[in-house]
Amino acid sequence: MYRFFLYEFFIVLSFSINLLQQSEARVVPISETNIVNATITEWTGMGDSYAAGLGAGSMIESFDATCFRYDGAYPVLLNGHLQPRPSRFNFVACSGDNFPTILQKQLNPSYLRPRWGDRPEFVTLSMGGNDIGFKELVTLCVYSIPLSPLMDCAGAIARSQRLVRSDDFTNDAINVIVTILRKAADRGIPNFKIYVTGYAQFFNERTTQCNSISFRPSWVKLKPKEYLTIDRRRTLNRIAWDLNVGLREAVMRASFGAPNRVFFIDYDRAFEGHRFCDRVEPNPDDANTWFLTYGSHEAEIGDFLDSIPQIHDVLNGHSNRTFSYDTFVRLILNATADDEEKMRVGGYLTRVFHPTLDGQRAIEERLRNVVLATRILEGPTATTEIS
């Protein structure tokens, strides 16, 4: 009840923060040539697939390739702008990570992941989407891909609404923030900061041209099409909105004991004019839409899925077996193991509804304004390593 008692307050506060960020943008102009000298010796990019940059640019080779880190991710872009001469950048964000795995695998050096760092001066953090079932929403409600008979689109929507509006969601997000703050305090890092990024709404929910449009791929033959009606778009957008409300509340409550240490970056308005259904759909590989789809790779993805026996049987009605989204992804990852070409196609499959490179640039610009406004921007930089 606490969070919804303050719901309207957070909306007003978000508007005020956006006005502040616009004011900062006038003081610190945003451009690709705006390279800032800062006394940053080390920092860390944490979070889920939005922070890993899934689908934006080219995949970064690493021993944990299933994290799907890309060189167009907003932490990578931010590193390039903040540090004209390289300094230590720990890129630990991993596609699929949720609240528990961010704590277990991104903060824990015993896992075979890049190290969180020795003394990072700040971290960027994207989290929450995997904890409320965004991937199931997109799979069932947009692409009509059959998974479990125990959950249809309506069930996925109800589940996500329940999760994102729960006290557990806010408390789990607070726990991640506080745990990171404690780790920094244990390392004796002065003026340590956390920059939490939100999510953007996916659709223009006012246009009518999408009412009879479905994104169901050609290789899904059995499940009826889900159409992007105004009501459907509005419902999915509201879940993204609620996700930002929950994250913003977590940042504010975590900040009570750590003033000027934790910041929320709401970049949703930067995506105006670049959402699905701003133009006629389907429009594969549309450069003006800042979210990814299967695009021109749809047939290639279909051939890839057809090569995985368990998935082939389900998609073609040869088996009554069904599976969860996590099992679906695990089958895909198993099929891509040690195969660079299949890994590339796996990236096409899992990238849907993630920001394009232009979308990642828009996130980085908003984030950079806040980072620059909350740091001392003078002095030389140190040397860089990417780990």
Side-chain angles (χ1 to χ4, degrees):
M1 295 299 295
Y2 173 80
R3 66 178 298 182
F4 290 101
F5 178 76
L6 294 178
Y7 186 86
E8 294 299 327
F9 169 73
F10 289 136
I11 294 175
V12 173
L13 180 64
S14 174
F15 178 71
S16 301
I17 290 174
N18 281 329
L19 288 180
L20 174 61
Q21 291 177 354
Q22 289 179 357
S23 172
E24 294 165 358
R26 289 191 289 270
V27 176
V28 185
I30 296 173
S31 74
E32 288 300 311
T33 59
N34 182 21
I35 308 293
V36 180
N37 288 317
T39 53
I40 299 170
T41 58
E42 183 182 4
W43 74 281
T44 299
M46 303 180 65
D48 55 21
S49 53
Y50 267 50
L54 177 56
S58 300
M59 191 185 301
I60 298 172
E61 293 185 8
S62 68
F63 55 81
D64 54 347
T66 56
C67 281
F68 288 105
R69 299 188 188 93
Y70 282 69
D71 61 8
Y74 72 78
V76 178
L77 300 177
L78 177 63
N79 191 61
H81 278 109
L82 289 180
Q83 304 171 59
R85 292 188 297 275
S87 70
R88 186 174 180 81
F89 168 43
N90 310 299
F91 191 23
V92 302
C94 186
S95 299
D97 275 5
N98 54 19
F99 293 143
T101 53
I102 285 173
L103 292 178
Q104 294 165 8
K105 298 183 178 181
Q106 296 186 24
L107 283 179
N108 190 338
S110 66
Y111 280 86
L112 295 177
R113 297 276 192 93
R115 295 174 60 251
W116 184 77
D118 296 322
R119 292 174 59 84
E121 297 165 44
F122 69 90
V123 303
T124 59
L125 175 63
S126 171
M127 61 178 177
N130 292 322
D131 300 272
I132 67 164
F134 248 158
K135 52 199 176 186
E136 287 86 354
L137 278 177
V138 171
T139 302
L140 291 166
C141 298
V142 178
Y143 288 101
S144 308
I145 298 175
L147 293 177
S148 170
L150 301 178
M151 185 180 296
D152 57 8
C153 175
I157 288 173
R159 176 174 178 267
S160 290
Q161 289 173 332
R162 173 177 55 81
L163 290 172
V164 76
R165 296 171 183 174
S166 68
D167 290 338
D168 285 344
F169 176 86
T170 307
N171 291 334
D172 288 344
I174 292 171
N175 182 53
V176 173
I177 295 170
V178 170
T179 301
I180 295 171
L181 288 172
R182 286 173 178 163
K183 186 177 183 76
D186 291 343
R187 298 281 178 92
I189 305 171
N191 300 316
F192 177 81
K193 294 177 173 61
I194 301 174
Y195 300 95
V196 179
T197 54
Y199 295 81
Q201 297 174 88
F202 299 121
F203 301 100
N204 181 329
E205 60 189 45
R206 300 177 298 278
T207 57
T208 59
Q209 68 263 24
C210 277
N211 285 349
S212 59
I213 294 298
S214 171
F215 280 10
R216 190 186 74 174
S218 59
W219 36 265
V220 174
K221 300 178 177 65
L222 299 178
K223 196 171 186 296
K225 292 181 178 180
E226 299 285 350
Y227 292 98
L228 297 176
T229 63
I230 287 177
D231 285 344
R232 172 64 52 81
R233 285 176 269 152
R234 183 178 294 126
T235 297
L236 297 179
N237 276 351
R238 184 54 186 260
I239 292 173
W241 175 268
D242 287 344
L243 180 55
N244 282 345
V245 169
L247 291 172
R248 186 182 296 110
E249 181 185 347
V251 166
M252 293 189 64
R253 288 172 59 184
S255 297
F256 289 157
N260 300 319
R261 295 294 181 89
V262 189
F263 304 88
F264 180 73
I265 292 82
D266 186 347
Y267 56 81
D268 179 69
R269 288 197 301 163
F271 277 64
E272 285 292 342
H274 302 286
R275 308 183 200 274
F276 291 122
C277 300
D278 272 321
R279 286 156 294 280
V280 175
E281 301 286 358
N283 192 358
D285 302 322
D286 173 26
N288 289 317
T289 299
W290 287 356
F291 290 107
L292 293 161
T293 66
Y294 296 136
S296 59
H297 303 288
E298 181 177 315
E300 188 178 8
I301 292 169
D303 290 341
F304 168 67
L305 292 178
D306 203 47
S307 71
I308 305 173
Q310 300 95 320
I311 295 178
H312 165 86
D313 290 346
V314 170
L315 292 180
N316 289 278
H318 300 155
S319 170
N320 293 325
R321 177 185 176 184
T322 55
F323 33 70
S324 67
Y325 182 86
D326 288 339
T327 301
F328 180 66
V329 171
R330 186 160 55 250
L331 290 170
I332 293 167
L333 294 179
N334 289 342
T336 62
D338 302 320
D339 189 318
E340 184 176 342
E341 179 64 16
K342 289 183 177 179
M343 181 66 71
R344 179 182 63 81
V345 180
Y348 294 148
L349 177 63
T350 54
R351 71 180 192 170
V352 293
F353 277 61
H354 286 77
T356 64
L357 181 56
D358 283 339
Q360 291 282 347
R361 286 170 177 156
I363 299 170
E364 186 272 337
E365 288 177 350
R366 288 295 180 103
L367 172 62
R368 185 184 352 142
N369 273 342
V370 179
V371 172
L372 302 189
T374 55
R375 295 190 58 83
I376 299 174
L377 304 176
E378 56 187 25
T381 58
T383 35
T384 278
E385 296 172 35
I386 296 183
S387 58

